[in-house]
Amino acid sequence: MKYLKRLIEYRLEKYLKIFGAVLVEGPRGCGKSTTCLKFSKSNILFNPLSAQNITEEKLSTFLTGTYPRLIDEWQLIPFAWDFAKNIIDKKNGKGLFIFCGSVIKEYDYKMHTGALRIGKLQMNTLTISELEKSSKEVNFNLIFNNDYVISGKKKISETEIAEIIIRGGWPSFINLSTIEINISLNSYIKSIVQQDFKQILNSPSDERIKALIISLARNISCPVSNTLLMNESIIINSNQTLQKYLDILQRIFVINYLETWKLHVRSSVQIRNSPKYYFIDPSIAAAALNIKNPETLINDKNTFGLFFENLVIKELKTYADLIDAEIYYFRDNTGFEIDCIMEFKDETWAAFEIKLGSEKGIVEGIKNLKSLKNKIEITKYMKCRGNFIITCAGKSYIKDGIKIISLNHLYFNP
């Protein structure tokens, strides 16, 4: 299978020169091991069976090899972390280890956090540009520059976007048929329920986990309360249990959530605090709801719009990571909402609306972005680096000062 160059490679190469080790986390099957193998000179690949036989006394043998040494699924051998940290301290070296993991490890007081020694990166599923489906007409790394010309003409159909949503950005799925992908994704969800959860929680309820995943899929890209999720899941009747399950779904990279952007709003504006949940890849939600073909999405524009929003947020999250930015969303008590706020380290920011691309939708997006000025303190608004609308298909251009970009035109060039 052809290797597809990954955006995270830019940061991984940089981090190996800065830190003694680099931890690359992300969903199972997103391509972490394949990419990290390209940067390693030796490796040890753990699995649940092999991990059972490894003791602290034997570990030194497994960590010995040419550097950088890849330690895959390291969370199965938690004491490997401290052992590697001690080697880093002793050698005072850079780029000695690459850790890969599909679970965010919960550090106890006995474990070293890795601060100053181990750099952390998150890898996501393939973006449209990584899938080689981008026309590469708009460089994300330059769109915040006032003098950068936004222009893109290559078209992509709604059917193609819907197919990308359903197929997902999984490297191993590229040559599979739609039927094969649906079978694979259902198997993926089954393994989340029956295996991944049990790496963290001893006796979870399979029925409750599956019901929660389906409820989250129904409410994809929408602000949702715990009460609503419990009502829809039915068999989850405890807020404590629900929150525990939501936390685990984040730790095993099934969902992300956006917090509301609260900084520097006018005193008269009341912010809603319900988070928005997004799937790490919208294909998981599609499979959970048994959406098997693009026509099912396209024929329901509301659902298509919500799934497209999840796809765009996934892409923006990947790009934001590359430029050390964070993403949020904005919603007040009147229902006014901006789909994504990207905030940079210097406290400058940019606003994004996500629309399928109809003229009506674009007009609405422009109106919302211009109205945001009335919600934010003037000193903060002056730090805005741009207002954008990401569309499903069509041209990329500037209208009324708003940069309108078709998703299939985006790429990243540092």
Side-chain angles (χ1 to χ4, degrees), residues 258 276 278 309 313 328-329 337-340 352-354:
L258 289 193
K276 267 189 174 186
Y278 295 94
E309 182 176 330
I313 291 296
Y328 306 88
Y329 85 102
E337 182 176 315
I338 298 295
D339 294 320
C340 180
F352 294 82
E353 279 280 77
I354 301 167

Side-chain angles (χ1 to χ4, degrees), residues 35 87 178 286 331 343 358 376 411:
T35 295
I87 293 175
T178 303
R331 183 180 176 89
E343 188 166 57
S358 69
I376 300 172
Y411 73 108

Side-chain angles (χ1 to χ4, degrees), residues 195-214:
Q195 297 174 29
D196 296 352
F197 243 74
K198 289 168 185 171
Q199 289 192 52
I200 299 174
L201 195 62
N202 288 332
S203 302
S205 164
D206 292 358
E207 293 79 10
R208 287 179 176 178
I209 301 166
K210 190 170 183 180
L212 178 56
I213 290 172
I214 292 172

Side-chain angles (χ1 to χ4, degrees), residues 39-247:
F39 285 83
S40 66
K41 293 183 178 178
S42 66
N43 62 80
I44 177 69
L45 310 178
F46 292 126
N47 60 58
L49 186 61
S50 65
Q52 292 176 3
N53 301 317
I54 298 176
T55 62
E56 291 192 46
E57 290 73 25
K58 293 180 180 179
L59 189 60
S60 60
T61 303
F62 289 98
L63 294 187
T64 302
T66 308
Y67 301 121
R69 183 159 176 79
L70 170 62
I71 305 172
D72 198 22
E73 298 300 345
W74 75 275
Q75 75 277 356
L76 298 172
I77 314 287
F79 46 81
W81 182 269
D82 280 340
F83 202 100
K85 175 258 178 189
N86 291 335
I87 293 175
I88 293 167
D89 286 348
K90 184 177 180 180
K91 292 183 176 293
N92 193 28
K94 307 297 183 185
L96 300 182
F97 296 100
I98 303 173
F99 291 93
C100 271
S102 305
V103 175
I104 296 178
K105 182 68 182 174
E106 197 168 51
Y107 302 98
D108 61 37
Y109 70 94
K110 296 177 183 178
M111 280 185 68
H112 193 280
T113 62
L116 301 179
R117 297 169 179 84
I118 302 175
K120 299 179 184 180
L121 298 173
Q122 181 176 326
M123 189 171 186
N124 300 315
T125 55
L126 293 157
T127 62
I128 286 179
S129 66
E130 290 172 313
L131 283 166
E132 299 183 343
K133 294 184 180 295
S134 167
S135 61
K136 296 188 175 181
E137 295 175 85
V138 180
N139 183 357
F140 187 88
N141 199 31
L142 300 177
I143 63 173
F144 306 104
N145 298 344
N146 290 331
D147 58 351
Y148 182 66
V149 178
I150 302 292
S151 177
K153 296 181 179 179
K154 179 128 186 212
K155 294 183 178 179
I156 190 170
S157 68
E158 287 188 346
T159 300
E160 290 175 279
I161 291 292
E163 187 172 6
I164 289 170
I165 289 170
I166 292 169
R167 294 179 67 87
W170 311 96
S172 62
F173 288 5
I174 287 174
N175 297 319
L176 297 185
S177 68
T178 303
I179 293 174
E180 290 170 329
I181 286 174
N182 185 256
I183 293 170
S184 298
L185 283 169
N186 279 303
S187 176
Y188 191 90
I189 292 172
K190 188 175 181 179
S191 68
I192 290 169
V193 173
Q194 297 182 351
Q195 297 174 29
D196 296 352
F197 243 74
K198 289 168 185 171
Q199 289 192 52
I200 299 174
L201 195 62
N202 288 332
S203 302
S205 164
D206 292 358
E207 293 79 10
R208 287 179 176 178
I209 301 166
K210 190 170 183 180
L212 178 56
I213 290 172
I214 292 172
S215 179
L216 288 166
R218 287 198 193 106
N219 292 282
I220 191 171
S221 305
C222 295
V224 59
S225 66
N226 283 8
T227 301
L228 177 60
L229 290 174
M230 283 192 292
N231 289 342
E232 286 202 357
S233 304
I234 301 175
I235 55 176
I236 300 180
N237 52 21
S238 159
N239 189 66
Q240 184 178 7
T241 299
L242 173 66
Q243 196 57 56
K244 183 187 295 182
Y245 281 21
L246 288 170
D247 290 344

Side-chain angles (χ1 to χ4, degrees), residues 104 243 245-257 277:
I104 296 178
Q243 196 57 56
Y245 281 21
L246 288 170
D247 290 344
I248 293 174
L249 285 174
Q250 291 174 64
R251 287 177 58 193
I252 60 177
F253 299 99
V254 176
I255 60 171
N256 279 323
Y257 73 92
Y277 292 100

